[in-house]
């Protein structure tokens, strides 16, 4: 009986202590306000502007853990775009730094959560040390059009379900005619 009590005590200790000792960075992302609140176990707290998914794309909502950390990642899906201090939390979705800091505070991404490079470096360091619990909630405000969106006729968007309209679209450039101005630019044509 005494041995059983010791085993039970060790089992309970095994279950309770790691949970208490395993402090995690709490990351709360509010898509409505385009802000991220960070609370570290050492008492540090931060509130930073973010950019989440713009119109036509989606940032997943829910509660996640950090799955993978990469100090520098290049997007294979979006033209090898740099994603410094990436914290992947759901498939290809990550929190990462952006050099487009003028877009912070409004939806501007393809679905990832973007923050400034310095904030991304700080968050990366905290998450590497403690792990993270990432909570994403709210509804993003309407995003303003980008200059590149005026050229939509040059792109097509693939629907996710056999031609049915999809709220989330993926970018796929169409092929253009072999127009010399498109291939070589206007310089050759002006000569």
């Amino acid at each position: 009986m005494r041995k059983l009590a010791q085993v039970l005590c060790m089992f309970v200790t095994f279950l309770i202590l790691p949970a208490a000792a395993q402090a995690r960075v709490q990351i709360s992302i509010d898509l409505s306000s385009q802000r991220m609140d960070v609370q570290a176990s050492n008492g540090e707290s931060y509130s930073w502007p973010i950019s989440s998914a713009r119109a036509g794309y989606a940032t997943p909502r829910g509660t996640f853990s950090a799955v993978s950390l990469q100090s520098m990642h290049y997007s294979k899906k979006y033209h090898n775009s740099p994603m410094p201090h990436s914290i992947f939390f759901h498939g290809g979705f990550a929190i990462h730094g952006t050099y487009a800091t003028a877009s912070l505070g409004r939806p501007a991404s393809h679905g990832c959560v973007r923050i400034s490079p310095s904030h991304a470096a700080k968050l990366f360091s905290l998450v590497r040390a403690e792990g993270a619990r990432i909570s994403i909630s709210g509804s993003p405000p309407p995003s303003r059009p980008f200059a590149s969106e005026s050229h939509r006729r040059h792109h097509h968007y693939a629907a996710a379900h056999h031609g049915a309209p999809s709220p989330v679209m993926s970018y796929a450039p169409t092929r253009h005619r072999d127009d010399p101005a498109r291939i070589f630019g206007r310089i050759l044509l002006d000569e």
Side-chain angles (χ1 to χ4, degrees):
M1 183 69 159
R2 186 175 179 186
K3 261 235 202 275
L4 180 62
Q6 286 177 332
V7 169
L8 249 150
C9 187
M10 285 178 19
F11 181 72
V12 169
T13 302
F14 177 74
L15 289 177
I16 294 173
L17 280 181
Q22 187 181 30
R24 291 187 161 195
V25 177
Q26 302 295 316
I27 302 170
S28 298
I29 298 167
D30 182 1
L31 300 178
S32 303
S33 65
Q34 293 290 289
R35 296 217 48 97
M36 171 189 296
D37 293 318
V38 177
Q39 182 67 47
S41 64
N42 64 5
E44 293 179 57
S45 63
Y46 305 94
S47 183
W48 298 319
I50 64 147
S51 284
S52 65
R54 67 183 189 227
Y57 298 90
T59 299
R61 284 175 250 176
T63 302
F64 308 94
S65 295
V67 176
S68 171
L69 300 171
Q70 294 183 30
S71 57
M72 180 52 89
H73 178 81
Y74 293 94
S75 172
K76 291 175 183 72
K77 189 172 182 179
Y78 297 108
H79 314 293
N80 222 24
S81 298
M83 298 167 56
H85 296 102
S86 293
I87 302 167
F88 287 90
F89 60 88
H90 181 71
F93 293 97
I95 299 169
H96 63 83
T98 182
Y99 301 115
T101 56
S103 295
L104 294 174
R106 67 181 178 92
S109 80
H110 289 107
C112 287
V113 177
R114 299 177 182 174
I115 56 179
S116 76
S118 62
H119 295 156
K122 179 65 178 174
L123 185 64
F124 187 89
S125 175
L126 290 170
V127 172
R128 183 173 47 196
E130 300 180 21
R133 181 179 179 274
I134 302 164
S135 174
I136 303 175
S137 62
S139 295
S143 59
R144 292 179 268 176
F146 285 78
S148 64
E149 291 178 359
S150 65
H151 294 63
R152 281 188 189 249
R153 68 178 184 273
H154 298 299
H155 302 93
H156 84 273
Y157 292 87
H161 303 292
H162 307 294
S166 170
V168 178
M169 300 174 203
S170 60
Y171 172 82
T174 59
R175 292 179 183 238
H176 298 287
R177 290 175 276 159
D178 293 336
D179 180 5
R182 290 191 191 278
I183 297 170
F184 300 108
R186 301 224 23 111
I187 296 170
L188 293 177
L189 296 176
D190 291 338
E191 291 180 355

